[in-house]
Amino acid sequence: METGGKILSLSDTVERHASLTQLKLPVFPGAAFELRQLLASDDASIDQISQVISKDQAIATNVLKLANSTFYSGTNRSVRTVRDAVMCLGSNHILNLVICSCQHTYYKSQNKMLSKYLEILWQHALCVSIGSKWLLHELGYRKFEDEGFLAGLLHDIGKLVIIKTVEAIYSADINIDLRHPNISITIESMHAQQGYKLLDAWSIPVVYSNISLNHHSPDFDASDILSIAVRISNQVCRKMGISTNSERPADVAASPEIKALAIDEYVLADLETVILDAVQSEYSMLNELGLDNSTPYGIYL
């Protein structure tokens, strides 16, 4: 690709255009941003939270449907109003549902190949978020559950930045070969840094941007329970083939993260079951929301 007579590599081109993509990908768009600001104060009432969500009819409808899904709520209780959803699930869980609803809209493309990639990327993000939340709950770190859900959802958001950037470049230059291995290499090599930049640009708490930046790093802080939970869930999803990355971890059970949290084979097996259930439940949930079903398991560029 040439710019002013200079031939740029794909990674250089993506780096040059990614900042524009970041501006178009608010992590907390619309109601999610307003809700996050409201919850930053300690005196936010249930009525105030409900009013913010209810401003956006599409989000309010999706929150109700998600709240009534055992996939998210873990309960069979009927939730009829947004206020009931807030009371039943709690404000932090509701914020996660709103973010989840908003985020899903970005994982789409008019390009068929990129669309398939985004489907599996979304599924991976969702399964890592569900897995992280469950693992933290199971291990007794329940105060980190909601953070685990959001950290898992956002850990690979740098891949979304790159894909959206590639999509924009492709629309301007049809000579780009989307099947070229350099695209996959670029995504894997750049996504952690691009995810960090996006989350930092939108002033997302540093705990999330650091997880995005370091979730593939061989070194980690053994006391950072939240980060370790995301790393383990990410590894398990990759092992199960729920990933955009074709490489499989050699032995998740022997990983240093598993040892750091003293996780036995039974908990690890249960985590795989939870993730598999999440994949299967997602199809029902997407049907309920009137969204397209994802393609199960890995698809690679």
Side-chain angles (χ1 to χ4, degrees):
M1 214 168 300
E2 295 188 15
T3 303
K6 181 181 178 181
I7 298 177
L8 299 177
S9 68
L10 178 61
S11 59
D12 289 336
T13 304
V14 168
E15 183 70 40
R16 174 170 292 194
H17 289 80
S19 59
L20 297 177
T21 302
Q22 291 168 12
L23 295 176
K24 299 175 183 177
L25 286 175
V27 180
F28 293 107
F33 182 78
E34 188 175 352
L35 185 58
R36 177 173 171 257
Q37 285 187 313
L38 179 61
L39 293 178
S41 63
D42 296 329
D43 57 350
S45 69
I46 291 175
D47 287 334
Q48 287 176 313
I49 295 170
S50 302
Q51 287 171 8
V52 169
I53 297 171
S54 297
K55 287 180 182 178
D56 190 313
Q57 185 176 3
I59 290 178
T61 300
N62 284 352
V63 164
L64 282 175
K65 290 179 179 179
L66 290 169
N68 279 291
S69 169
T70 54
F71 177 55
Y72 284 100
S73 67
T75 177
N76 293 320
R77 176 180 174 182
S78 176
V79 179
R80 297 185 178 182
T81 67
V82 171
R83 193 176 191 280
D84 287 342
V86 176
M87 292 180 65
C88 178
L89 301 177
S91 57
N92 287 329
H93 198 164
I94 285 293
L95 177 60
N96 283 339
L97 293 186
V98 171
I99 294 170
C100 200
S101 177
C102 293
Q103 278 289 313
H104 186 266
T105 63
Y106 295 120
Y107 287 76
K108 298 180 183 299
S109 173
Q110 295 299 315
N111 180 281
K112 290 183 178 180
M113 183 175 293
L114 296 182
S115 178
K116 290 294 184 183
Y117 185 95
L118 288 171
E119 284 176 6
I120 204 66
L121 179 60
W122 169 252
Q123 189 178 77
H124 174 76
L126 204 53
C127 286
V128 172
S129 68
I130 293 293
S132 300
K133 177 181 173 65
W134 178 88
L135 187 59
L136 289 163
H137 181 93
E138 181 70 14
L139 298 178
Y141 300 104
R142 298 183 179 184
K143 66 179 180 180
F144 296 126
E145 282 182 48
D146 290 314
E147 291 179 64
F149 183 95
L150 186 55
L153 193 68
L154 300 178
H155 80 285
D156 261 350
I157 199 167
K159 291 185 177 182
L160 177 62
V161 173
I162 296 172
I163 286 297
K164 287 298 184 180
T165 301
V166 168
E167 181 180 40
I169 296 170
Y170 180 78
S171 66
D173 183 358
I174 59 174
N175 292 321
I176 295 176
D177 182 4
L178 294 180
R179 292 186 180 275
H180 196 286
N182 280 350
I183 293 182
S184 180
I185 293 171
T186 298
I187 292 170
E188 293 303 323
S189 65
M190 296 181 65
H191 77 274
Q193 186 67 38
Q194 289 300 325
Y196 176 86
K197 288 181 178 179
L198 173 66
L199 297 176
D200 183 61
W202 286 95
S203 301
I204 305 305
V206 69
V207 62
Y208 302 113
S209 56
N210 280 342
I211 288 175
S212 178
L213 179 64
N214 298 314
H215 67 280
H216 288 303
S217 174
D219 301 317
F220 63 91
D221 181 355
S223 66
D224 188 350
I225 306 301
L226 181 61
S227 175
I228 295 174
V230 172
R231 291 168 70 102
I232 291 173
S233 295
N234 182 48
Q235 291 171 11
V236 170
C237 284
R238 288 179 57 196
K239 174 192 171 187
M240 297 173 69
I242 309 171
S243 174
T244 57
N245 190 329
S246 60
E247 294 183 10
R248 301 287 179 262
D251 186 2
V252 175
S255 71
E257 290 90 347
I258 292 292
K259 294 178 180 178
L261 295 188
I263 294 175
D264 61 34
E265 59 185 300
Y266 302 106
V267 172
L268 192 57
D270 287 344
L271 176 58
E272 289 191 19
T273 299
V274 166
I275 290 172
L276 183 59
D277 287 345
V279 173
Q280 294 171 342
S281 297
E282 185 197 5
Y283 301 140
S284 298
M285 180 199 71
L286 290 176
N287 279 329
E288 290 174 3
L289 297 180
L291 301 172
D292 294 333
N293 282 339
S294 298
T295 301
Y297 293 83
I299 180 169
Y300 316 109
L301 286 175

